[in-house]
Structure formats: structure tokens, C-alpha cells
Amino acid sequence: MAAQNLQSVPAELTAGTSETAEADGQANFDRVIAEDSRIEPKDWMPAAYRKTLLRQISQHAHSEIIGMQPEANWISRAPSLKRKAILMAKVQDEAGHGLYLYSAAESLGQNRDEMTDALIAGKARYSSIFNYPALTWADMGAIGWLVDGAAICNQVPLCRASYGPYGRAMVRICKEESFHQRQGFEILLELSNGTPAQKQMAQDAVNRWYAPALMMFGPPDDDSPNSKQSMAWNIKRFSNDELRSRFVGMMVEQVRVLGLTLPDDQIRFNEDSKKWEHGPLDWDEFHEVLAGRGPCNSQRLERRREAHDGGAWVREAAAAYAQKQSMKTKEYAA
Amino acid sequence: MSPHGNPEAPASSATEINREAPKASPAPQEHTDHAWGLWEVFVRSSRGLSHVHAGSLHAPDAAMALRNARDLYTRRNEGVSIWVVPADAIAASDPDSKGAFFESPQGKDYRHATYYTKSEGVKHL
């Protein structure tokens, strides 16, 4: 995240018309991208680059915030004190990730409260995955292993995103995500080694989360209009299909250790392309969920709104207290 | 949330997509009356090291900024000391100065030890 909105002390030698400034800015931007260096908040950047980043970062932030819900719902019913503590730490991390990302978005000139308003008004998008319900305890395992696993696969290359504050936020997030995936794996492993009913519960959760997790990488490359430009700008480093294929390869190995199976009999390694292939995914469902018509969309937004409204008195009280303190300080000074 | 039932259960089953659109939402509230200021956070990871910029956050005052910074940036023992600074109190050099601001050291290689090559091979120098 950046030191953002900082006052700049203008250099004396920057006088020039806005057109030459624009051309110079573009030239500098092109050079930085060509060198695979980083753009920082106060640098000139093309309007479309700023817009693309804002869309991606704010959606990402919203996903982290909404992503707290499926797991927070299970804290009270986690099977042991240890599991409760782990789940609380994980949910707290998701909140933290949302805040890192909101900060990065703000460094592009977006107002934090406007982002919050857009989310609770249902105008902002977030990852479709969080609109599926977490039905059993095994879902906490499958979410950690598959959903956080897919997120890590997606996010590790984003640590090198050309926009500095975004890359730095992703570095911090990726460090914390690996605990999320491992604790999920462990939950599934324990269930898999438990009673037949527990093993069945683990398999059922994997069956339900597998396809939605694969769809987290976004639409297939030939149906992903923004990908090409994002890659040219060094925001994205790999295409959706490339990352998805890589993820499938990792899961194939790991599911064996779990003693479970993936619900896809078409997984195979293509010797020609050297890539993992998987069965067809239901992209109509993906677009429906993204458009707000998934199993839990309204429930998630409703909960977010309640939390926001329920916290209003805290924000107001803190602001009132801060104002009172600053007036007291002024009185002393006078 | 009931401690017994599954709070996720009211949703339709996972295999069946509910076509219900999100409920109409109330108009966003105005925040201008209590918008919190932006603070930059600097964390000292251990004794003997400098504070390093970790990120930023919003808070109504310095005390809350410190508490928020602790919760946000030191959840895994990342720090032993935190500074918070109002973002608008930081003066920054202008990135548009096209290097002019940093021109002075250019071409002054003699400020680096590596400029002096004749002493190569001489011990302890």
C-alpha cells in the first residue's frame, strides 16, 4: 500500500503545457511497463489503466469482505476450541485483506466510503464463489483447500502486478493465505481419516466446491475481453485458462494425499500442450451467480448491510470522541 | 444466528441456483459528517531496525489509528513499535520532476568505493 494522497512539493522545472505533460506521462508510463518496473500512485497513468485497476482491486477487496461470511457462520459450531480459534484468525485475516486492498484502491483516487456504499447497495461485484452456501463443517475444509488454494494460485502472480500498491498488498495477502489453505487441507484430511460418514461429508464438500473453485479463475480466455490488455499492462501475468490448468494439476496430486477424489472424470495431462485439462464447466451458472442470482447473493448482501448499519453507532461515537478530544487540546493550547 | 442450526441452510441447495435477485437496497447514507482521516502506518519489525512503511488505514484519531494499525499490520508479531502519521502531514517529492530533483548524484561515481579500482587486491582496504 502506498503513502497516498500525499502533498507533493512541485519541482521548479515542471512547467509545460498539459499536452506535453500528457505525452511525457504516456512515454514515462510506457517505459516503466516495458522495463517491467512499477507504477506508483502519483505517477501519470492512462485513464483506462486506472479504471481497470480500480475495478479489479475494489472487486477483490469486496470479495475478501463478503468472504468472511461463509466461515464466520461456522465459528460458533466449529468442533473444538482450537478450530474456533483458527477460524476466527482466518476470518480476521480476510477482513485485513479487504482493508489492504481498499487502501490500494484509494491510492488510485477512489473514496473508501463510496466503495462501501457501492457494495451494500448491490452495485459492486465480488467473487462469485462466496454466493454458494457452506452447508457442513467439511465445507470449511473444502473452502480452505480449494477456494483459498485457487485464490493463492491467482494471487501469487499478482504480487508482481505493475501497480506498486496492489503488488505490495498481494505480497502481504499471499503470506497469510498459505495458512488458510493448509488449515483447510488438515480439516479434510482428518475427516477423510475419520468415520465413513465423516469421509463421505468431506467428499461431498469437495464435490460441491470443485467446479465453483475452478470458475474463480474467470471465464475461458476466448471469453475474457479484458485479459489481453491487463496482460499487456503487466497487471495479469498469466491467462485465466493457464492458471486454471495449473491449479487442476496441483489438486490432482493433493487429492490423493487426502484419500478423496475430484468430481471430474475428464481430468488429464495433455502431453502435447503440457497442460492439465478438465471437464466442462457451467459458465451459464457462473454468469447467473455473478449477476446476483446465485444461491446466497441476497443473504450475503443483507448480512453486510446489517453489519454496516449495526456498526454505525461505533463509528459515530469514535468520531465524536475524537472531536471532543481535539477541542480539549485546543482549549489547553489557548 | 442460531448456535444450533446452520445459518447457511436458508439458502437453496448448492446445486440449484436461486433466481431471486438481491433485495432492493436503501439509498447510501452520507458519510461526510464523520469521514475518518487517512493515516500512514510505519512498523519497526524488531529492535535495532528502522520503522518501515507498512500501509495505510482510516481512523478518527491517533489513539484509534494506533489500535487499528496493531490489529491490521501486526497480527503475526510483525512489529515491536508502530508510528501512525496523518497522510496529509507528509510532504513528498514530485514524481513529475523527471529526475531533475535527483540529478545531483548523476555522474558522481567517485562518491562510491567501487570507483577506486587501483587498490584492488590490497588487503583490508
Side-chain angles (χ1 to χ4, degrees):
Chain A
M1 285 118 301
Q4 54 230 349
N5 307 332
L6 302 180
Q7 296 172 339
S8 283
V9 180
E12 288 159 27
L13 303 170
T14 54
T17 67
S18 63
E19 279 144 45
T20 55
E22 185 95 352
D24 288 353
Q26 181 73 53
N28 185 59
F29 177 85
D30 293 342
R31 184 181 54 77
V32 169
I33 296 297
E35 285 173 357
D36 200 1
S37 183
R38 300 291 179 266
I39 298 293
E40 293 295 342
K42 293 191 68 67
D43 290 337
W44 185 94
M45 62 187 90
Y49 176 81
R50 188 184 297 273
K51 199 177 154 198
T52 297
L53 278 169
L54 265 177
R55 197 196 62 223
Q56 182 169 339
I57 300 173
S58 62
Q59 282 179 13
H60 196 161
H62 295 325
S63 302
E64 301 282 359
I65 297 300
I66 295 291
M68 288 193 275
Q69 293 186 31
E71 292 173 307
N73 283 340
W74 276 92
I75 292 172
S76 63
R77 285 162 306 123
S80 67
L81 191 58
K82 183 183 93 170
R83 292 291 177 199
K84 284 186 210 297
I86 291 171
L87 211 47
M88 278 194 279
K90 184 171 188 290
V91 171
Q92 199 185 14
D93 275 354
E94 309 297 1
H97 298 175
L99 294 177
Y100 306 154
L101 288 161
Y102 281 132
S103 285
E106 269 183 296
S107 72
L108 290 159
Q110 176 74 280
N111 176 294
R112 171 91 53 118
D113 291 337
E114 283 171 14
M115 288 187 273
T116 306
D117 289 341
L119 177 62
I120 61 181
K123 290 177 191 159
R125 280 185 169 181
Y126 54 87
S127 177
S128 58
I129 195 82
F130 301 114
N131 290 319
Y132 291 89
L135 300 174
T136 69
W137 169 248
D139 286 37
M140 295 303 97
I143 289 175
W145 179 51
L146 288 169
V147 175
D148 290 305
I152 292 171
C153 208
N154 215 358
Q155 289 169 359
V156 167
L158 289 175
C159 295
R160 293 189 290 127
S162 58
Y163 186 57
Y166 190 32
R168 292 193 284 277
M170 294 316 308
V171 168
R172 200 174 271 278
I173 289 172
C174 285
K175 272 188 199 160
E176 300 179 349
E177 286 283 357
S178 60
F179 131 60
H180 297 183
Q181 194 187 16
R182 285 186 180 203
Q183 65 86 37
F185 185 88
E186 213 181 274
I187 289 173
L188 289 177
L189 190 64
E190 279 184 32
L191 289 172
S192 180
N193 292 328
T195 64
Q198 285 173 327
K199 183 166 185 174
Q200 183 51 46
M201 184 164 79
Q203 183 62 59
D204 173 63
V206 170
N207 290 352
R208 282 183 289 106
W209 289 96
Y210 169 76
L214 255 55
M215 290 196 273
M216 283 173 69
F217 294 95
D221 292 349
D222 46 18
D223 187 29
S224 179
N226 301 320
S227 281
K228 211 174 159 194
Q229 180 61 73
S230 279
M231 287 174 76
W233 277 328
N234 292 344
I235 298 173
K236 270 175 88 96
R237 298 285 175 165
F238 303 100
S239 77
N240 296 351
D241 286 336
E242 165 84 39
L243 290 169
R244 189 167 16 245
S245 155
R246 211 183 276 184
F247 178 66
V248 168
M250 291 186 232
M251 295 302 107
V252 165
E253 293 288 317
Q254 295 175 9
V255 79
R256 287 196 199 113
V257 183
L258 287 174
L260 302 171
T261 56
L262 294 175
D264 184 346
D265 56 12
Q266 293 179 51
I267 295 179
R268 68 180 195 106
F269 186 71
N270 185 325
E271 286 293 346
D272 298 329
S273 64
K274 301 286 175 208
K275 289 204 170 122
W276 284 92
E277 293 175 352
H278 56 82
L281 295 165
D282 184 352
W283 292 107
D284 290 339
E285 176 180 309
F286 174 80
H287 289 296
E288 280 294 304
V289 177
L290 210 57
R293 293 184 287 271
C296 296
N297 293 57
S298 55
Q299 186 184 339
R300 299 285 184 244
L301 280 182
E302 192 60 39
R303 178 74 198 97
R304 185 71 205 92
R305 240 170 255 145
E306 278 170 19
H308 186 74
D309 295 346
W313 72 271
V314 179
R315 296 191 294 276
E316 284 157 19
Y321 180 78
Q323 198 185 6
K324 195 171 146 193
Q325 291 301 111
S326 82
M327 279 166 71
K328 267 190 194 167
T329 317
K330 273 180 207 150
E331 274 168 33
Y332 280 126
Chain B
M1 175 201 337
S2 154
H4 307 295
N6 181 353
E8 300 278 289
S12 59
S13 81
T15 49
E16 175 192 310
I17 300 295
N18 184 349
R19 307 288 161 181
E20 180 202 0
K23 286 173 197 155
S25 54
Q29 294 163 357
E30 287 298 319
H31 294 276
T32 43
D33 52 337
H34 52 79
W36 291 356
L38 186 67
W39 299 75
E40 298 299 334
V41 180
F42 300 81
V43 175
R44 182 200 293 284
S45 57
S46 69
R47 287 180 171 277
L49 297 177
S50 310
H51 287 76
V52 173
H53 185 240
S56 51
L57 50 75
H58 286 263
D61 59 26
M64 284 289 288
L66 276 174
R67 280 166 187 268
N68 290 355
R70 175 200 59 192
D71 292 345
L72 192 55
Y73 293 108
T74 63
R75 288 196 301 283
R76 289 176 174 80
N77 295 319
E78 290 97 332
V80 295
S81 166
I82 298 175
W83 289 346
V84 290
V85 183
D88 58 11
I90 297 177
S93 59
D94 188 344
D96 294 333
S97 60
K98 301 183 198 79
F101 189 70
F102 298 104
E103 200 171 32
S104 174
Q106 298 295 324
K108 294 176 183 168
D109 295 351
Y110 50 82
R111 286 179 172 174
H112 297 275
T114 48
Y115 176 79
Y116 304 91
T117 54
K118 290 186 179 168
S119 49
E120 255 171 38
V122 180
K123 279 182 182 170
H124 308 302
L125 191 71

